[in-house]
Each structure stands twice: as structure tokens, then as C-alpha cells.
Amino acid sequence: RWRTDGVLEFGGRADDQVKVRGFRIEPGEIEASLMALDGVSQAAVVLREVADEQRLVAYVVGGDVPPASDLRAALGAVLPEYMVPSSFVVLEGLPLTTSGKLDRRALPAPEIVGVSAYEAPESATEALLCRLYGELTGAGRVSVTDNFFALGGHSLMAMRLVVRLREELGVEVPLRAVFAEASPRALARVVEGAATSERAGVVSGQGDLGGGRVVLSWGQERLWTLDRLSPGASEYNIPFSLWLEGALDTGALDQALRGLIMRHTALRTVIDGATGEPVGSVLEDAGNVLEVVDLTGTVPPQGEAPDAARDHALVLAQTFAVRPFDLSCEVSLRGQVITLGKDTYFLTLVAHHGACDGSSLAVLWSELAALYRSARTPGRSDLAPLPWQYADYAAWHRTWLEESVVLARDLDYWRDHLAGAPACLALPLDGGRDADRSRRAGYESFSLDPALSGRLEALARERGMTVFGVVLGVYGLLLSWLSRDDTVVIGTPVAGREAPGSEGLIGFFVNTLALHLDLGSCRTVGDLLAHTGNVVQDGLEHQQAPFERVVEALDVERSLAHTPVFQAMFAWQSQEMGEAALDDVAATAALGIGSGVGLDRAKFDLTLAMMPGADGVAGVLEYDADLFDEERVAQWCDLLVSLLQQMAGAADGAALATLSLVTADGAAQLSGFQGDVCEIPEDTTPDLLTAQALRTPDGEAVVFEGDSLSYGALAARSNQLARHLVAQGAG
């Protein structure tokens, strides 16, 4: 939490068992460093929301303030990277309140600038790319030499850039090119030589089959099938909650929820499977969608909710969050608002994944707020009509893939990419992999502090990658070591919003990629990052094939004991969540990564979810508690953080074998071991064993469960094993 006095504070609820590493950032130190520079007389550093992300912004005053690139370089020489502001704003004077303090609300919105000196575009294509870079990242002025990812871009934004280029120029630019040629000048050469796009746009009404029936997407059909396999399950619920402070109008909120469901037909699409084949249809009415609970009798008159009342609200919200949806007759969005006292509420919304995905949340909150305002002001309407509905996209996507060569090409890629991959990730288990196990969900939270996050971002930029790619590689390495298998398959979601206009819709656009990491040939840190980067970029290039079709094409053996293709998931939640606000009602997120309210069933053996924020990166490892004990998963989280720390500080040519699976706490315990002190000879262990075998070949060397080996026998066995390993190619 960023306190009002400018200190980043880390912690959790009172009932959390949270390990907190001390960290403190003083804006005063950054301001002092700025004012030590020539031309700067005053400075103020604050945290601001820029392009839907929290960023550190510096406001400077002076007669001859240096360019932002010089300010950034000068600060980078004396401060750690995470303390260098992302934006600089030059003012004639700092705005002050009547009491003489900095007036934060009067500070203007910052302008994001790149790290390079400004160079103007020299062609229409370069000018277009500079404009698109600015619109997507929030940068005010983009140089043709600026790096897309240094401006705050990530994989999702890169996909949006490709879509915008297709929309504005009618060309198909490979997603890989955005990573490889990240500046407007370099990418312009790719754009000018790109092939013309053959994709037709989505047409309104093309998903309407008449009689209220609509086309279903492959994703909707898959989730319906999974729902039939596990009736009454709730692992595909998407819950999120807010603490609300203010005069909430529950009637207007109910009307806004109904309006949102009526506006987006995906939220009121139901599926009939009476014939064995799923058939979609749209409900004409949203029905009752908001549940109101009054707990005011359990709180003091002043409206301050004590811990007991809040705990009661969390229990009610948990029950509400895991209540299954009936996909055959129920809308896919519902709400619960709990009144705790005067102007104190707890709001929970739950959507079904078949009608909503992570990228839909920003649309949901934005439109819910607009509809709430409209409900309180009759006759007001802030929302333009939608260009088309999700069923139209489903019909367009099916037609386009089946009539083009894209689907066949992508399926060929995934068959080749996943050849030789293990059918099941062989992690050490604490419970049996029974087909009928309950798949209880457990959650283990952790965090990466801003210093480590900054070092990982720098490493990613040096390698031309995103932080997602770096963390994926380390996650894969950990899973490989734990399973003792050089190859692992990790699933990851991609936004799937390649159709122009899809950004404004609520629906299940997301697709899943099965990324096969073959780490057997990776000897160094550089090898690991290069391999992971290539796998990610190739996967993104072939993301059009729906995961459902990939599973069919692989013809994998189906088992109720584990999910097909992969059992470990990694979700990097960088998509803009949107600002949750309802007029003058203050909202504080209560659900999210590591929160106390979650789903009761695990989708996969392991799901690693990470979300970057102003105070570093928050993470949670969801696990199947029928397979793994809490203590084991907590150790894995510590190992993951430890490996990321080692990776961030390792040289490109450092051997992966030098990375340790001993955490800092474990090393401290080992170093604190008190035993007999003796001199360690310079000879290697094999040398010592050979010498001892020559001295006492019949002496007892090792004992295990009643069996023993002499030194002579142990030396002979170890030599035999060594020769076998060398014959197999061991170094």
C-alpha cells in the first residue's frame, strides 16, 4: 500500500500467515537526487495511475530543466532502477494547498516519454506507429527510436498493436516482429513489407440462427462439456469483491447489473444439451441478479464494521462465490451486496468464465459505472451501441478459421511442438491421483518486491523479452527439477481479441496455449531465456487454433485423473482491470491475488498467477490440495522466488547448474549447523573414496536397512555408474 506520506507498506489481513521482507521507498530521497541536478530547483515525486497502471511520476521546477532522458540517466546512476520515475513533468511551480503543503490533486496528468532522445518520424508509417505506441502505452510523445516495451508495453498490448495495424492499414504483421523490432523505426520496415490481410470483419447479426438461437464458440462448448462432466462444480466461476464506502444506491446498482446483462448477450446466453449437442439461446430477461443482505444489526451505530462482522461478510461472500451456475437456464453474472453499516458495504460479483474473461473486467466495471450513473439520472446514457455481439464473433471465428489455411497451419505446429511431451507432470505427490478426488483448492501467496521486479524488467529488456517470459522460464525450470524431467508443458491464457471491436465486449475470447519447454539442451541462463523466448513467440504466432481443436488433433489419451496436455498453468495478469468506481462511492478491491475469498476447486494441479503493481508483483500458487500438502507448496513458492532472485543477478553465461534449490533461509540453517570441525582436503570426493578403498577395501562404507557395502564394493559400483553415465553423454 502506498501511504499518504510516501512510504510503500507491505502486509495482509490479521489472519494471514504472510512472510514480509522489509522494503521502504522514500520519495524524499528521489526528490533530493533530482534537486542535486543542475537546472532543477524543486521536485515532487508521487504515485499516479497512468494508462491504467500505477507509476512513479516526478514533477520538477527549474529555470533550465534537462530533458527527461537526461534526468532518467542521471537518477539511474545514483538510485536503484525501481526508484527511477517512469515519467517527468516540468512545472513553473508546485501547486500548494492553503496550508502550504503539496496539492496532489492539482498536479497535472503525467506525460510518458521514452528512454531515448526524441527523433521525429520521417514517414507516414513511422508516424502511425508513434501514434499507436502512444495510444496503447499512454506515452505523450514517442520517438522513432523508443522501445515499445520500455514504454510499458507487454504481450497483450503487442497483440492489440497488431490488431490496430490490421484495422488501419489492412496488413498482417507477425506478432514476433513487435518483439524483434520494438522501435517505430525498425517496425515500420516490417509493416511496409507486410502482406495484405485477408480477414473480413465481424458482421452484426451473423451469429443469430433465428428463433432466439445463437452460435456458440469452441470455448463455450468446451466449458459446457466440462460442466457436464462435473455437475455442480464452480471452478469456472470468476468472483471479485469490493469494500464500498459511501451512499450506495442498491436500486440503481440492481438496475445497472440488469442493463449490463441485457446489453451483452453473452451474459444471458444459455446452453441446451438435451439432444447431446450443445445449442445456444438468449434469454429475453435478466431476472433477479442482485442479492441484498443486511448485517447492520451486527455492527455499532457509527457504522464501523468490527472484524467479526467483516469475517461474517467474507463467509457469506465465499458461499456466494462458489455457488454453481446452471448453464441451461441461468444468466452468467450475478451480484451480492452486504450492508455492514451506514455507508459501509461489501459487494461481490460473480461471472461464469463461459461468458467473461480477464480482459472483460475493464469493460464490465466501466460500463457498470456508466449504467449506475444512468440509473440515478433518468434520461442519461453514456454508452454507445455495441457494433456486434459475442455470438457474431463466434460465427466469424469459426468461418474464418475453417475457410482459411490458418487452422491447418496452426494445428500442424502444435502437433509438432507437443510431440514427445510428457502426458502427465510427475511432481512429487502427497496424495493419490484418484479420478474421483474432490480437487480441493489451496492457495499459497507470495510477492516479489519492487527491487526484484525492477531487476527482472531490466533482464527482460536486455533479452528482448517480457517479464512474463522470464518468469515462465524460471517456473518451467523449477517444475523440471521437481519432476526430474527435462521437458514440461505449461498452459497459459492469451487474450484472443484479434477481431477489431472486440476490446469493448464482454465475452469468452481467451484462448489457451500449451507451451512445451524442452530444457535438456539449456546449459546456461542465456540458453534458458533464449529457448523460452522462442517458445513464447512461436506460440503467440500460432494462437489462432482453439485449444479444444488442439486437444482433438493430438488425440491424447483422456483421463479423469488429470487434465489433458498440461497440468500446470501460468497466468500473468497484466490486462487492465479498470477502475472500480460507482459515482461518489469509494471502492477498495477485496478480491484478487492472494485474497481470502477464492474458489473451492482447483482447475489444474498447479496454477501460478502473478499480477504486477506499484509495490512489486503479487503472486499466488493455486494447487490441488488432494495432491499436495500446504507445507510442500509453500516451499515451492520460496524456491520460485529464490530462483528468480538468482536469475536476476546471474550472468548470461552462468551455468544453470550453479542455480541453487536452497533458499536463503535454508542456507542459513545449513550454515548454522554445529558439528565436529575438521580440515577439508583439496582432493575431490571420488579421489577420497578411491584412496579409502585402497586402504580398507573390506571396511564397511554405507549401511541402509540392514544391507551394507564395503569401500571396495562402493568404489566399484560408483565407477560402473560413472562409465554408464559417460556413455550416455554426461559431461
Side-chain angles (χ1 to χ4, degrees):
R1 183 177 61 181
W2 184 271
R3 291 191 341 213
T4 55
D5 60 352
V7 176
L8 280 177
E9 194 175 72
F10 293 81
R13 300 184 315 278
D15 58 338
D16 277 342
Q17 297 298 318
V18 181
K19 295 179 180 178
V20 179
R21 292 178 175 84
F23 176 81
R24 186 181 179 92
I25 178 171
E26 292 282 6
E29 183 179 352
I30 309 174
E31 293 163 0
S33 299
L34 277 168
M35 288 188 287
L37 303 177
D38 292 338
V40 179
S41 58
Q42 288 181 293
V45 176
V46 300
L47 198 71
R48 291 288 299 266
E49 184 169 296
V50 181
D52 297 315
E53 296 179 353
Q54 296 293 321
R55 304 190 187 184
L56 207 59
V57 179
Y59 294 87
V60 295
V61 177
D64 189 16
V65 177
S69 56
D70 293 349
L71 293 174
R72 184 176 285 107
L75 289 180
V78 296
L79 296 173
E81 183 174 357
Y82 66 87
M83 290 177 67
V84 178
S86 64
S87 303
F88 297 85
V89 180
V90 179
L91 303 174
E92 294 183 358
L94 296 177
L96 303 176
T97 64
T98 54
S99 60
K101 296 182 179 180
L102 178 68
D103 188 353
R104 292 172 176 263
R105 290 180 296 181
L107 291 170
E111 177 183 6
I112 302 173
V113 294
V115 298
S116 58
Y118 179 74
E119 291 186 38
E122 297 178 351
S123 68
T125 305
E126 289 181 356
L128 172 64
L129 286 169
C130 286
R131 174 171 65 81
L132 294 179
Y133 276 33
E135 291 175 358
L136 290 170
T137 67
R141 187 174 69 167
V142 177
S143 168
V144 291
T145 56
D146 278 336
N147 184 290
F148 181 72
F149 300 99
L151 291 172
H154 44 68
S155 299
L156 179 57
M157 279 191 193
M159 189 67 231
R160 289 177 181 168
L161 178 61
V162 170
V163 172
R164 293 289 298 276
L165 288 170
R166 182 188 305 130
E167 188 176 5
E168 299 210 17
L169 296 180
V171 296
E172 287 292 340
V173 176
L175 186 62
R176 178 184 291 271
V178 181
F179 289 86
E181 311 291 348
S183 71
R185 174 161 292 166
L187 188 58
R189 292 190 288 269
V190 178
V191 173
E192 288 166 355
T196 301
S197 175
E198 298 179 357
R199 301 193 198 190
V202 180
V203 177
S204 177
Q206 69 183 106
D208 188 349
L209 298 176
R213 296 179 303 114
V214 293
V215 177
L216 297 174
S217 68
W218 278 300
Q220 285 175 309
E221 290 184 355
R222 174 167 62 94
L223 292 191
W224 174 82
T225 301
L226 292 173
D227 184 73
R228 294 302 87 202
L229 289 172
S230 301
S234 60
E235 60 261 47
Y236 289 97
N237 288 12
I238 304 178
F240 35 96
S241 292
L242 298 170
W243 294 105
L244 302 177
E245 297 289 339
L248 179 68
D249 186 338
T250 56
L253 179 59
D254 179 58
Q255 186 176 334
L257 274 175
R258 291 169 183 267
L260 191 70
I261 294 170
M262 297 304 295
R263 176 174 167 84
H264 295 270
T265 57
L267 294 174
R268 50 191 173 96
T269 296
V270 295
I271 303 176
D272 180 12
T275 63
E277 292 291 332
V279 177
S281 59
V282 178
L283 297 175
E284 295 183 357
D285 182 35
N288 298 321
V289 294
L290 183 64
E291 177 182 305
V292 180
V293 180
D294 191 349
L295 295 182
T296 52
T298 66
V299 298
Q302 64 269 28
E304 292 294 331
D307 289 341
R310 287 180 177 265
D311 289 345
H312 188 191
L314 287 172
V315 170
L316 292 176
Q318 174 70 37
T319 303
F320 183 75
V322 300
R323 193 174 78 202
F325 284 92
D326 187 338
L327 301 185
S328 67
C329 62
E330 192 176 0
V331 296
S332 295
L333 176 67
R334 59 172 179 258
Q336 179 193 65
V337 60
I338 300 174
T339 305
L340 291 165
K342 187 178 185 305
D343 295 344
T344 305
Y345 306 88
F346 191 60
L347 171 65
T348 300
L349 299 182
V350 187
H352 190 271
H353 204 358
C356 183
D357 56 20
S359 297
S360 298
L361 297 183
V363 180
L364 188 151
W365 283 119
S366 173
E367 295 198 351
L368 185 65
L371 290 167
Y372 180 79
R373 288 193 298 270
S374 299
R376 301 186 71 200
T377 309
R380 175 176 178 174
S381 178
D382 296 333
L383 298 177
L386 294 174
W388 38 267
Q389 292 289 343
Y390 179 74
D392 300 326
Y393 163 80
W396 169 84
H397 194 226
R398 286 177 178 272
T399 302
W400 174 67
L401 281 181
E402 291 170 353
E403 293 182 353
S404 70
V405 299
V406 173
L407 182 59
R409 180 204 66 186
D410 285 0
L411 291 178
D412 286 343
Y413 167 79
W414 291 111
R415 287 191 194 95
D416 181 65
H417 176 66
L418 294 166
C424 185
L425 184 63
L427 293 171
L429 304 179
D430 299 305
R433 189 180 285 281
D434 303 321
D436 58 350
R437 66 185 187 275
S438 64
R439 290 177 170 81
R440 293 178 297 112
Y443 298 91
E444 187 66 29
S445 301
F446 63 95
S447 63
L448 311 182
D449 62 41
L452 175 56
S453 302
R455 294 199 302 273
L456 292 173
E457 289 174 3
L459 175 62
R461 282 198 298 270
E462 291 170 5
R463 298 291 309 188
M465 304 172 62
T466 61
V467 181
F468 163 82
V470 174
V471 178
L472 175 70
V474 175
Y475 183 41
L477 182 66
L478 176 62
L479 295 177
S480 171
W481 285 355
L482 293 175
S483 63
R484 301 183 181 185
D485 194 331
D486 285 340
T487 67
V488 296
V489 181
I490 301 174
T492 190
V494 289
R497 293 180 179 249
E498 73 279 1
S502 58
E503 297 88 350
L505 266 77
I506 295 173
F508 183 37
F509 294 90
V510 68
N511 193 18
T512 302
L513 305 183
L515 302 180
H516 181 194
L517 299 180
D518 187 351
L519 306 179
S521 61
C522 297
R523 303 298 183 198
T524 67
V525 167
D527 292 342
L528 174 65
L529 295 178
H531 175 65
T532 306
N534 287 332
V535 168
V536 171
Q537 291 185 26
D538 287 343
L540 291 174
E541 287 288 345
H542 296 87
Q543 64 174 289
Q544 304 295 343
F547 181 67
E548 302 76 27
R549 298 296 298 272
V550 173
V551 175
E552 292 175 7
L554 293 174
D555 194 25
V556 296
E557 180 182 353
R558 301 302 181 96
S559 171
L560 294 177
H562 62 79
T563 53
V565 185
F566 65 86
Q567 296 79 45
M569 171 71 84
F570 175 37
W572 182 265
Q573 299 180 351
S574 62
Q575 69 263 19
E576 296 83 348
M577 304 298 286
E579 181 181 359
L582 297 172
D583 276 359
D584 54 353
V585 178
T588 304
L591 282 184
I593 285 184
S595 66
V597 178
L599 301 178
D600 56 354
R601 287 172 59 97
K603 299 184 187 71
F604 304 97
D605 292 2
L606 293 176
T607 297
L608 173 63
M610 301 184 74
M611 177 183 290
D615 51 357
V617 177
V620 65
L621 192 59
E622 177 190 283
Y623 60 96
D624 185 336
D626 289 338
L627 297 180
F628 312 111
D629 289 343
E630 180 181 2
E631 183 178 358
R632 183 188 295 276
V633 177
Q635 182 189 41
W636 289 350
C637 288
D638 290 342
L639 290 175
L640 178 64
V641 175
S642 176
L643 284 174
L644 288 170
Q645 290 170 334
Q646 296 174 65
M647 179 71 73
D652 205 49
L656 289 178
T658 62
L659 301 181
S660 173
L661 279 179
V662 179
T663 63
D665 291 342
Q669 292 176 4
L670 291 174
S671 64
F673 173 76
Q674 297 298 316
D676 294 336
V677 178
C678 63
E679 297 245 350
I680 298 178
E682 294 182 359
D683 297 325
T684 65
T685 301
D687 293 334
L688 296 172
L689 175 60
T690 300
Q692 186 67 29
L694 291 173
R695 287 193 298 271
T696 59
D698 297 325
E700 193 173 58
V702 290
V703 178
F704 178 70
E705 294 184 351
D707 293 331
S708 66
L709 285 178
S710 67
Y711 277 103
L714 179 60
R717 295 251 190 122
S718 65
N719 286 333
Q720 182 183 21
L721 176 59
R723 286 193 296 272
H724 171 72
L725 292 174
V726 170
Q728 298 298 316

